[in-house]
Amino acid sequence: MGKLTPVAVATIAIVGAVVTACGNGDKRDGASTLAVPGVTVGPAVCGGEDTLSAEGSTAQEAAMGLFNQAWSRLCPGKKVLYKPTGSGIGRKRFIAGHIDFAGSDSPLVSEQIGPAAERCGGNPAWDVPLVFGPIALVYNLTDVPAVTLDADSMAKIFTGLIRAWDDPILAALNPDLDLPKTPITPIYRSDLSGTTDNFQKYLTAAAPQSWDKGVGGEFHGGVGKGAHGSAGVIAAVKANPGAIGYVEKGFADQAGVPYVQLETGNGVVPLTQETATNAVDAVTFAARGNDLVLDLTSVYGLQGPEAYTLVLATYEIVCSGGYDPDTGAAVKGFLATAATEGQADLSKAGYVPLPKKVRERVATAINAMQ
């Protein structure tokens, strides 16, 4: 296929915002109408390289598959080769220049910002959120449905202060359940994990008196058994009677394991698509500009029976500039597709699509990439 000079320009209108995707690339005829109302995409999202490399978050593995499907429908032959190695490894591999972009459930930390800009030829790296997901507390108890926990009891379980399911604290939260004397085995991520980071951030904000262990991709609770990746957590919970672990809702649903309800202080909230969406709608941004780090503390503090507040955002970490033209065009095309048509089926996989205010900022950021 012949290469075009960078003159073909397509626009992607995302609820009032516009992304321009342009650059060298293979020409594909015609524009496609996407599943997002009012969104159209033209052939320039198919520009640049046919194959991109990425790795990182296991939480977004299924979402990446859906994004890939959407991109290949629009642009036959286009794909991202994604390895679910964990958020921490993904960020390190991106900074080292081994992959085109990273998937991460946590944004770049302060000591990574400078090296990431150096990797991007002196241009800052940006954190671009593409999907939200509720974190499920999955457990292994026979014939015990709908266990309720609050942030304080979660913190005490994952620091070893609550060691059995019939603990009086858990009994008070579950007056209608006959909880067994089974010992509790906390299951945590043994790898550097954005899910761990988000879980610990939630406990820090929602249970500050019981969780003083800090945050980060390494688990700090000091008790339990470690497991690698989200799939590893599911396997470990299923293999250990009395176990409890944290994992994305999509993995829990796929495995058919139960997960807890959340007592937020003013009612018990089941984890459903609706309650997770209600929580995500309250998200805010940490700062202005195109590095789209989100502030989830606005979500953690919600109370009432309508919002399941234990959620995470998962990002693509990309160079704002400095890619070679073919790679840059492909990265922009992939992001633009993922932020539009790629959102259509996310809820079926247990994710929460981007709210309008986030889609608008994502569109602006993609448009600003050089």
Side-chain angles (χ1 to χ4, degrees):
M1 299 180 184
K3 293 288 185 180
L4 291 176
T5 55
V7 293
V9 177
T11 58
I12 304 168
I14 306 181
V15 198
V18 175
V19 173
T20 301
C22 61
N24 292 339
D26 297 332
K27 183 176 181 180
R28 323 277 171 147
D29 293 329
S32 301
T33 300
L34 301 185
V36 180
V39 177
T40 57
V41 63
V45 296
C46 301
E49 296 179 356
D50 279 346
T51 302
L52 294 172
S53 61
E55 63 181 278
S57 162
T58 61
Q60 66 174 253
E61 181 181 1
M64 189 61 64
L66 294 172
F67 297 156
N68 251 329
Q69 291 174 19
W71 201 26
S72 65
R73 282 196 304 267
L74 289 173
C75 311
K78 293 288 188 181
K79 61 182 178 295
V80 175
L81 298 179
Y82 187 78
K83 296 180 180 179
T85 54
S87 296
I89 292 177
R91 293 194 302 271
K92 290 180 179 179
R93 295 273 293 168
F94 170 76
I95 290 170
H98 297 312
I99 52 177
D100 297 319
F101 64 90
S104 179
D105 307 331
S106 299
L108 292 170
V109 296
S110 56
E111 60 265 27
Q112 293 175 322
I113 292 174
E118 184 177 352
R119 174 259 191 270
C120 294
N123 301 281
W126 288 345
D127 304 275
V128 180
L130 284 184
V131 66
F132 290 87
I135 299 175
L137 270 292
V138 296
Y139 62 92
N140 182 350
L141 290 176
T142 303
D143 297 326
V144 183
V147 170
T148 297
L149 297 179
D150 59 9
D152 185 72
S153 59
M154 290 179 195
K156 289 175 179 175
I157 287 171
F158 280 89
T159 55
L161 295 178
I162 294 178
R163 295 181 177 272
W165 282 102
D166 65 343
D167 186 280
I169 294 175
L170 302 187
L173 286 166
N174 297 273
D176 297 328
L177 295 181
D178 184 17
L179 293 172
K181 298 180 181 296
T182 307
I184 298 175
T185 302
I187 306 296
Y188 60 87
R189 287 280 293 274
S190 59
D191 52 324
L192 290 175
S193 162
T195 308
T196 296
D197 188 23
N198 278 274
F199 182 52
Q200 294 182 143
K201 286 177 178 176
Y202 171 80
L203 294 178
T204 298
Q209 294 183 338
S210 297
W211 185 269
D212 59 359
K213 303 291 187 177
V215 299
E218 183 179 355
F219 178 68
H220 299 307
V223 297
K225 297 181 179 181
H228 186 88
S230 300
V233 170
I234 290 288
V237 168
K238 293 175 72 173
N240 291 273
I244 185 170
Y246 52 88
V247 71
E248 300 72 32
K249 178 178 180 291
F251 281 91
D253 289 338
Q254 186 177 21
V257 293
Y259 37 80
V260 307
Q261 301 180 121
L262 182 60
E263 170 60 70
T264 62
N266 192 28
V268 176
V269 185
L271 172 49
T272 66
Q273 192 67 28
E274 181 180 4
T275 60
T277 299
N278 290 340
V280 166
D281 284 342
V283 72
T284 59
F285 290 91
R288 297 178 181 272
N290 292 319
D291 184 17
L292 303 181
V293 176
L294 295 163
D295 182 1
L296 292 177
T297 58
S298 57
V299 176
Y300 299 154
L302 294 174
Q303 293 186 342
E306 297 85 18
Y308 182 89
T309 55
L310 179 48
V311 299
L312 60 79
T314 184
Y315 303 85
E316 312 313 322
I317 300 176
V318 301
C319 292
S320 62
Y323 288 119
D324 67 79
D326 279 351
T327 301
V331 170
K332 291 181 71 170
F334 170 76
L335 292 177
T337 304
T340 52
E341 183 168 314
Q343 299 290 305
D345 293 327
L346 287 179
S347 60
K348 297 177 183 178
Y351 298 105
V352 177
L354 299 178
K356 174 184 175 182
K357 60 187 174 184
V358 178
R359 294 202 308 269
E360 291 174 341
R361 290 283 296 271
V362 168
T364 301
I366 299 171
N367 188 48
M369 290 174 63
Q370 302 298 313

